[in-house]
PDB file of all heavy atoms in Angstrom:
ATOM      1  N   LYS O 396      83.784  69.323 153.087  1.00 56.00           N
ATOM      2  CA  LYS O 396      84.962  70.127 153.123  1.00 56.00           C
ATOM      3  C   LYS O 396      86.225  69.327 153.195  1.00 56.00           C
ATOM      4  O   LYS O 396      87.221  69.649 152.565  1.00 56.00           O
ATOM      5  CB  LYS O 396      84.858  71.086 154.339  1.00 56.00           C
ATOM      6  CG  LYS O 396      86.007  72.054 154.443  1.00 56.00           C
ATOM      7  CD  LYS O 396      85.827  73.028 155.597  1.00 56.00           C
ATOM      8  CE  LYS O 396      86.980  73.977 155.689  1.00 56.00           C
ATOM      9  NZ  LYS O 396      86.817  74.922 156.817  1.00 56.00           N
ATOM     10  N   GLU O 397      86.232  68.238 153.988  1.00 55.00           N
ATOM     11  CA  GLU O 397      87.437  67.488 154.162  1.00 55.00           C
ATOM     12  C   GLU O 397      87.518  66.259 153.277  1.00 55.00           C
ATOM     13  O   GLU O 397      88.549  65.582 153.260  1.00 55.00           O
ATOM     14  CB  GLU O 397      87.497  67.011 155.647  1.00 55.00           C
ATOM     15  CG  GLU O 397      87.550  68.165 156.634  1.00 55.00           C
ATOM     16  CD  GLU O 397      87.592  67.680 158.052  1.00 55.00           C
ATOM     17  OE1 GLU O 397      87.509  66.413 158.271  1.00 55.00           O
ATOM     18  OE2 GLU O 397      87.710  68.534 158.967  1.00 55.00           O
ATOM     19  N   SER O 398      86.499  65.944 152.531  1.00 59.00           N
ATOM     20  CA  SER O 398      86.526  64.770 151.716  1.00 59.00           C
ATOM     21  C   SER O 398      87.403  64.934 150.493  1.00 59.00           C
ATOM     22  O   SER O 398      87.659  66.076 150.023  1.00 59.00           O
ATOM     23  CB  SER O 398      85.118  64.413 151.268  1.00 59.00           C
ATOM     24  OG  SER O 398      85.126  63.309 150.370  1.00 59.00           O
ATOM     25  N   ALA O 399      87.857  63.843 149.960  1.00 61.00           N
ATOM     26  CA  ALA O 399      88.641  63.840 148.709  1.00 61.00           C
ATOM     27  C   ALA O 399      87.721  63.821 147.483  1.00 61.00           C
ATOM     28  O   ALA O 399      88.159  63.451 146.378  1.00 61.00           O
ATOM     29  CB  ALA O 399      89.575  62.640 148.700  1.00 61.00           C
ATOM     30  N   LEU O 400      86.498  64.199 147.709  1.00 61.00           N
ATOM     31  CA  LEU O 400      85.514  64.150 146.620  1.00 61.00           C
ATOM     32  C   LEU O 400      85.915  65.072 145.476  1.00 61.00           C
ATOM     33  O   LEU O 400      85.742  64.725 144.316  1.00 61.00           O
ATOM     34  CB  LEU O 400      84.167  64.664 147.178  1.00 61.00           C
ATOM     35  CG  LEU O 400      83.027  64.767 146.213  1.00 61.00           C
ATOM     36  CD1 LEU O 400      82.587  63.401 145.701  1.00 61.00           C
ATOM     37  CD2 LEU O 400      81.841  65.487 146.832  1.00 61.00           C
ATOM     38  N   TYR O 401      86.542  66.194 145.772  1.00 64.00           N
ATOM     39  CA  TYR O 401      86.854  67.172 144.758  1.00 64.00           C
ATOM     40  C   TYR O 401      88.118  66.848 144.023  1.00 64.00           C
ATOM     41  O   TYR O 401      88.533  67.553 143.106  1.00 64.00           O
ATOM     42  CB  TYR O 401      86.975  68.599 145.376  1.00 64.00           C
ATOM     43  CG  TYR O 401      85.682  68.982 146.092  1.00 64.00           C
ATOM     44  CD1 TYR O 401      85.614  68.926 147.479  1.00 64.00           C
ATOM     45  CD2 TYR O 401      84.563  69.375 145.379  1.00 64.00           C
ATOM     46  CE1 TYR O 401      84.458  69.282 148.117  1.00 64.00           C
ATOM     47  CE2 TYR O 401      83.423  69.724 146.024  1.00 64.00           C
ATOM     48  CZ  TYR O 401      83.361  69.655 147.428  1.00 64.00           C
ATOM     49  OH  TYR O 401      82.226  70.024 148.058  1.00 64.00           O
ATOM     50  N   ASP O 402      88.794  65.788 144.393  1.00 68.00           N
ATOM     51  CA  ASP O 402      90.015  65.368 143.673  1.00 68.00           C
ATOM     52  C   ASP O 402      89.647  64.460 142.494  1.00 68.00           C
ATOM     53  O   ASP O 402      90.557  64.070 141.727  1.00 68.00           O
ATOM     54  CB  ASP O 402      90.953  64.602 144.603  1.00 68.00           C
ATOM     55  CG  ASP O 402      91.534  65.531 145.646  1.00 68.00           C
ATOM     56  OD1 ASP O 402      91.573  66.782 145.389  1.00 68.00           O
ATOM     57  OD2 ASP O 402      91.946  65.072 146.743  1.00 68.00           O
ATOM     58  N   GLU O 403      88.397  64.110 142.374  1.00 65.00           N
ATOM     59  CA  GLU O 403      88.027  63.216 141.280  1.00 65.00           C
ATOM     60  C   GLU O 403      88.022  64.003 139.965  1.00 65.00           C
ATOM     61  O   GLU O 403      87.930  65.248 139.947  1.00 65.00           O
ATOM     62  CB  GLU O 403      86.612  62.670 141.549  1.00 65.00           C
ATOM     63  CG  GLU O 403      86.553  61.760 142.750  1.00 65.00           C
ATOM     64  CD  GLU O 403      85.205  61.155 142.922  1.00 65.00           C
ATOM     65  OE1 GLU O 403      84.385  61.329 142.010  1.00 65.00           O
ATOM     66  OE2 GLU O 403      84.962  60.485 143.954  1.00 65.00           O
ATOM     67  N   PRO O 404      88.167  63.297 138.805  1.00 66.00           N
ATOM     68  CA  PRO O 404      88.297  63.981 137.526  1.00 66.00           C
ATOM     69  C   PRO O 404      87.075  64.820 137.130  1.00 66.00           C
ATOM     70  O   PRO O 404      87.218  65.792 136.380  1.00 66.00           O
ATOM     71  CB  PRO O 404      88.474  62.794 136.522  1.00 66.00           C
ATOM     72  CG  PRO O 404      88.971  61.638 137.354  1.00 66.00           C
ATOM     73  CD  PRO O 404      88.337  61.809 138.714  1.00 66.00           C
ATOM     74  N   TRP O 405      85.881  64.530 137.669  1.00 66.00           N
ATOM     75  CA  TRP O 405      84.693  65.235 137.255  1.00 66.00           C
ATOM     76  C   TRP O 405      84.584  66.626 137.902  1.00 66.00           C
ATOM     77  O   TRP O 405      83.787  67.458 137.516  1.00 66.00           O
ATOM     78  CB  TRP O 405      83.452  64.469 137.594  1.00 66.00           C
ATOM     79  CG  TRP O 405      83.395  64.074 139.066  1.00 66.00           C
ATOM     80  CD1 TRP O 405      83.782  62.903 139.624  1.00 66.00           C
ATOM     81  CD2 TRP O 405      82.957  64.919 140.173  1.00 66.00           C
ATOM     82  NE1 TRP O 405      83.595  62.938 140.986  1.00 66.00           N
ATOM     83  CE2 TRP O 405      83.106  64.157 141.317  1.00 66.00           C
ATOM     84  CE3 TRP O 405      82.404  66.203 140.231  1.00 66.00           C
ATOM     85  CZ2 TRP O 405      82.760  64.662 142.571  1.00 66.00           C
ATOM     86  CZ3 TRP O 405      82.099  66.683 141.482  1.00 66.00           C
ATOM     87  CH2 TRP O 405      82.276  65.917 142.626  1.00 66.00           C
ATOM     88  N   ALA O 406      85.476  66.895 138.927  1.00 69.00           N
ATOM     89  CA  ALA O 406      85.335  68.134 139.728  1.00 69.00           C
ATOM     90  C   ALA O 406      85.574  69.362 138.826  1.00 69.00           C
ATOM     91  O   ALA O 406      84.841  70.356 138.893  1.00 69.00           O
ATOM     92  CB  ALA O 406      86.310  68.138 140.911  1.00 69.00           C
ATOM     93  N   ASP O 407      86.609  69.315 137.991  1.00 72.00           N
ATOM     94  CA  ASP O 407      86.944  70.471 137.095  1.00 72.00           C
ATOM     95  C   ASP O 407      85.750  70.759 136.170  1.00 72.00           C
ATOM     96  O   ASP O 407      85.346  71.934 135.933  1.00 72.00           O
ATOM     97  CB  ASP O 407      88.195  70.222 136.349  1.00 72.00           C
ATOM     98  CG  ASP O 407      89.414  70.133 137.241  1.00 72.00           C
ATOM     99  OD1 ASP O 407      89.343  70.689 138.366  1.00 72.00           O
ATOM    100  OD2 ASP O 407      90.413  69.546 136.816  1.00 72.00           O
ATOM    101  N   GLU O 408      85.218  69.743 135.614  1.00 73.00           N
ATOM    102  CA  GLU O 408      84.084  69.956 134.693  1.00 73.00           C
ATOM    103  C   GLU O 408      82.875  70.491 135.416  1.00 73.00           C
ATOM    104  O   GLU O 408      82.155  71.377 134.868  1.00 73.00           O
ATOM    105  CB  GLU O 408      83.750  68.599 134.031  1.00 73.00           C
ATOM    106  CG  GLU O 408      82.690  68.746 132.954  1.00 73.00           C
ATOM    107  CD  GLU O 408      82.393  67.455 132.242  1.00 73.00           C
ATOM    108  OE1 GLU O 408      83.066  66.447 132.571  1.00 73.00           O
ATOM    109  OE2 GLU O 408      81.533  67.440 131.386  1.00 73.00           O
TER     110      GLU O 408
END
Side-chain angles (χ1 to χ4, degrees):
K396 183 176 180 181
E397 297 180 356
S398 174
L400 177 68
Y401 303 102
D402 293 335
E403 295 184 9
W405 54 265
D407 294 338
E408 184 178 359

